[in-house]
Each structure stands twice: as structure tokens, then as C-alpha cells.
Amino acid sequence: MQAFTTLSGQAIPFGAANIDTDVIIPARFLKTISRAGLGAGAFATLRETPDNVFDNHAGAPILIAGANFGCGSSREHAPWALADLGIRVVISPGFADIFAGNAFKNGLLLVTLPQAAVDRLLAVAVDGQPITIDLENQVVTTPFQDRFEFAMDPFRKHCLVNGLDEIGLTLGMDAAIGAHEARQMTDRPWLAGAAARI
């Protein structure tokens, strides 16, 4: 997983509330277990409209959304599609719990801010100005001296800053796992024999 410390860039001024995972990635695109190419289906229904906000801000790494973003069915394809679209951060007044868990496990930073702060960032994004997200200091800033602090679970912050997914966390405990296995072979040598018979 790619480490996240600071990101500056333009944002997609979406702002709609109650966007469910079927809007993020419609079911017709879920016939794959590969993450590659899902960005083409991200917000497909909305992108069918000419001059839509997503195509007008193609390549922007930040999405500004309304409240309850990611509600609906649990599909890990939703954060995969956002990441494949190039989005690394979603800013919203609130996220659905299951989506938030899936997003975190896939390295997508979710920033929760009050509606007034989100409205201000939407205005900055519409104006085409960059927004900066500093995860280490937990702050969102703009060129207009706006400064919005956000809360972040310490464990999730540690994982995102260090680029650690569940596999990375496990590999980080390699020495402890090796020491445990060595103790098992000393304390319970019959386990080695059972393993050899499998």
C-alpha cells in the first residue's frame, strides 16, 4: 500500500449527499475481482451526462462529497474504483461505516469535516484552487489561509502514514512470529512431525 503523508491538488467539487456504493460503482461493473480498470466505471451513471463534474476535473486526487458518502451495500469495489480513478482522499461530513472500513483497508484517506468546512472547500474546488491534506498534522488547508483540523484514529493514521495494509502489518511482525514458531518447535516438537505428514 502506498504511504500517505501530504497531498496537494485540485478537488472534484461533487458535494452530493447519500451517495451509495451503487452510484460509486454500478453493479454491472462488478464482474471482476481485479482492481485494474474499475475507474472507468466509477460514477458511470453520473458521467453519462455531458459536462459532468468528474470528467471536468479528471485526474484530481481529491473528492469532496456530501454527508453519508458510501452508504448502501458493502462492496470493496467502491474504494477500488475511486483509487483507479486517481482519487486518494475523500472529504465529507460523514461516511457509511462499512465503506469507511473498506476504504481504509485499501489506502483511501477519508477526512470528516463539519458541513461548513466542506462547503468552503467546495467553493475553493469550484474556483480551481488546490487543496492540501496533511495527514501527519491532521489538517486541510487552502491557498486562502483556510485551515481545518480533522480527527483520525491513531491506528488508521499509523497504517496510512507508513503504507501498511493487513499484509504489511503481519510482515512487520516477522521476527515475533519466527520466535514463536521456534518456541513451539522446542516446547511442542510433535507439531513438527504433524506438519511433515500433511
Side-chain angles (χ1 to χ4, degrees), residues 82-109:
L82 293 172
D84 198 55
L85 193 60
I87 295 171
R88 298 208 53 217
V89 179
V90 181
I91 300 172
S92 166
F95 300 91
D97 288 341
I98 295 173
F99 173 80
N102 285 336
F104 160 67
K105 289 179 181 182
N106 287 282
L108 185 64
L109 174 61

Side-chain angles (χ1 to χ4, degrees), residues 44-138:
T45 305
L46 300 175
R47 290 166 67 192
E48 290 171 358
T49 305
D51 201 33
N52 66 79
V53 70
F54 296 98
D55 293 337
N56 288 344
H57 294 82
I62 304 163
L63 174 66
I64 303 175
N68 199 28
F69 186 80
C71 58
S73 64
S74 169
R75 56 180 70 162
E76 198 167 15
H77 293 75
W80 290 356
L82 293 172
D84 198 55
L85 193 60
I87 295 171
R88 298 208 53 217
V89 179
V90 181
I91 300 172
S92 166
F95 300 91
D97 288 341
I98 295 173
F99 173 80
N102 285 336
F104 160 67
K105 289 179 181 182
N106 287 282
L108 185 64
L109 174 61
L110 304 183
V111 174
T112 304
L113 291 174
Q115 185 64 56
V118 171
D119 291 342
R120 172 62 183 150
L121 293 173
L122 281 167
V124 170
V126 166
D127 196 34
Q129 297 298 315
I131 294 171
T132 300
I133 296 95
D134 180 346
L135 178 55
E136 290 184 298
N137 294 303
Q138 296 176 215

Side-chain angles (χ1 to χ4, degrees), residues 96 159 176:
C159 291

Side-chain angles (χ1 to χ4, degrees), residues 157-172:
K157 178 179 177 179
H158 168 78
C159 291
L160 290 168
V161 167
N162 293 288
L164 298 172
D165 58 11
E166 291 170 337
I167 294 171
L169 286 167
T170 302
L171 291 174

